[in-house]
Amino acid sequence: MNALRPLLDGAVVALRQTDNSGMLDWAERHVQFPHSDRAKRFSRQQAPWLNGPLEAATDADTREILLMAPVGSGKTTMFEALACWIVAREPGGAMFVLQSDTDATDWAETRLRRVRESC
C-alpha cells in the first residue's frame, strides 16, 4: 500500500473540486488576520476602496497596478490577502514592493507569515 500512496495523493489533488469563486468571495472564506485588532477575517466591507485593486490583481489581463493611499488604509492587508490567493489559486510570479528592505523583512516575518499559516 505504501508504494501506491504517491499515486493516491496525486489522484486526490487532481480530482478535488476546483474553487471558481472570485477573489473577494474566496478571501472572505479563507483569509484570516491573526495580527489585526480591526478584523480577524477578510471582509470586503472593511476597506471597500481596495476591492477594485484586488479584483484587478486577480484578472489575467491586468499587467500592473499602482496604488497610492494614506497610511492605515489597508494596503499591506490587501497584499496579505493577495499573497494567500496567489499561493492557493494562481501560483506564479508576483512582486510586492515596500519602502525598504528592513520594512519588507519585518512585514514578511511578523505579519505575512502568520496570515499565510492561518489561511
Side-chain angles (χ1 to χ4, degrees):
M1 183 65 175
N2 285 339
L4 293 177
R5 189 68 198 180
L7 178 63
L8 293 173
D9 290 345
V12 168
V13 170
L15 296 174
R16 79 176 164 205
Q17 185 176 5
T18 302
D19 181 352
N20 290 322
S21 61
M23 166 59 184
L24 300 176
D25 291 331
W26 182 90
E28 286 181 329
R29 281 196 314 278
H30 299 287
V31 179
Q32 300 176 50
F33 304 112
H35 61 275
S36 178
D37 291 332
R38 290 186 198 169
K40 293 296 181 190
R41 298 193 65 83
F42 177 88
S43 169
R44 70 183 82 202
Q45 284 81 30
Q46 188 70 26
W49 52 90
L50 297 175
N51 293 344
L54 277 168
E55 288 176 328
T58 60
D59 177 4
D61 294 330
T62 302
R63 303 292 296 162
E64 184 176 282
I65 297 170
L66 301 173
L67 179 63
M68 278 180 42
V71 172
S73 62
K75 298 177 304 296
T76 306
T77 302
M78 180 188 82
F79 285 157
E80 293 161 2
L82 186 55
C84 291
W85 164 277
I86 291 168
V87 170
R89 296 284 306 274
E90 297 288 335
M95 180 171 65
F96 298 103
V97 179
L98 280 78
Q99 57 269 25
S100 72
D101 289 346
T102 302
D103 289 340
T105 300
D106 182 55
W107 169 65
E109 292 175 357
T110 62
R111 291 182 53 170
L112 180 60
R113 180 182 53 79
R114 293 178 65 201
V115 171
R116 285 184 36 225
E117 288 172 352
S118 69
C119 181

